Amino acid sequence: MIWLGLLLALFGLLGTGAAAETPAAPVGSDVCGGCHAEQARRWAGSHHARALQPATPQTVLGAFGSADQPVRFEAGEQLTEFLRRDGQYRVRTEGADGQRREYAIAHTIGVDPLQQYLVTWPDGRLQTLGVAWDARPRSAGGQRWFHLYPGDPPAPGEPTHWSGRAQTWNVMCASCHTTGLRKGYDPAADRYASRWDEPGVGCEACHGAGSRHVAWARSRQRGSVAAIRPRASRGRWRC
């Protein structure tokens, strides 16, 4: 029975170590780049890094006019106007009730071969506009606005209209355009409070939260080999 006692004691020690282990937490791609400089440099201009960006003059590729002279795009009987007002990128188009309103554009999605735009609604939904920017060179037919449903643009009230649930970015697109997404949906209130650790597809979207690896790497730099060691790759290559 001595061996049984030793075995139970060993399992007890292993269990204690597992319980005391600090869960990994996200650190952000900037921290990863502190050691992996070449990988960070190559990632910085990639489609992954620019999968979701705030709408700014540095990120918006589409043609926007002024409040008095917006850029107009017509698809069937639907008119969409793109403009800038008070430093914001904005769009005038039909909402869910069919009434034309002006909406602020919060984010851009992607850069090539097209770029789409997100509008934030009061209930926390981010809705994807049905009119997108063709980012290809003009020689390839790009540098123009186009409708994602060119033959039959969805009408207000239809699920595929830009205001409909089929175009709600939080549930349809966000998991592939952010790192560490918390969808934050409240079914009772039918509202979203979505959060993410990092916009775009950062290092930890594929490699997992990096705090334990960073702690191990920094301890190695100080000359210690007894600190936390990184775990084997989790194999979550889903990008």
Side-chain angles (χ1 to χ4, degrees), residues 6 14 19 46 48 52-53 65-66 68 80 95 100 106-109 122 130 140 148 158 161 163 189 205 232-233 237:
L6 291 172
L14 291 175
S46 70
H48 276 176
L52 176 70
Q53 301 178 101
S66 65
D68 296 331
T80 305
R100 286 182 58 79
H107 302 278
T108 68
I109 313 175
L148 298 173
E158 295 183 15
H161 185 260
S163 61
S233 172
W237 299 105

Side-chain angles (χ1 to χ4, degrees), residues 28-223:
S29 295
D30 287 345
V31 172
C32 300
C35 290
H36 304 283
E38 176 59 20
Q39 290 84 352
R41 183 191 65 79
R42 294 170 62 184
W43 167 83
S46 70
H47 289 193
H48 276 176
R50 297 186 287 173
L52 176 70
Q53 301 178 101
T56 69
Q58 290 72 41
T59 63
V60 171
L61 303 179
F64 284 73
S66 65
D68 296 331
Q69 293 184 308
V71 173
R72 296 164 55 93
F73 176 81
E74 295 184 51
E77 298 181 356
Q78 297 181 14
L79 170 64
T80 305
E81 296 178 301
F82 296 93
L83 60 128
R84 293 188 66 180
R85 183 195 301 278
D86 300 327
Q88 280 190 325
Y89 289 90
R90 306 182 70 87
V91 58
R92 292 185 196 134
T93 189
E94 295 175 337
D97 58 2
Q99 300 300 308
R100 286 182 58 79
R101 293 185 179 85
E102 189 172 298
Y103 302 91
I105 292 174
H107 302 278
T108 68
I109 313 175
V111 289
D112 183 67
L114 60 90
Q115 185 173 76
Q116 292 179 261
Y117 300 93
L118 291 176
V119 170
T120 304
W121 283 39
D123 61 4
R125 287 188 295 157
L126 286 161
Q127 294 295 127
T128 310
L129 290 176
V131 181
W133 179 254
D134 187 337
R136 298 174 301 164
R138 196 177 302 276
S139 60
Q143 300 301 297
R144 62 185 179 89
W145 293 105
F146 71 100
H147 204 289
L148 298 173
Y149 298 88
D152 186 20
E158 295 183 15
T160 50
H161 185 260
W162 80 270
S163 61
R165 290 188 179 269
Q167 303 297 338
T168 298
W169 179 86
N170 312 60
V171 64
M172 300 299 291
C173 319
S175 61
C176 288
H177 285 264
T178 61
T179 302
L181 173 72
R182 279 90 68 197
K183 197 178 301 181
Y185 180 64
D186 180 350
D190 191 21
R191 297 179 61 88
Y192 286 90
S194 298
R195 298 290 184 272
W196 46 86
D197 296 329
E198 189 174 353
V201 184
C203 303
E204 291 163 300
C206 291
H207 295 286
S211 63
R212 289 179 58 79
H213 176 70
V214 170
W216 170 82
R218 289 176 177 171
S219 70
R220 293 273 300 205
Q221 292 170 357
R222 291 193 299 268

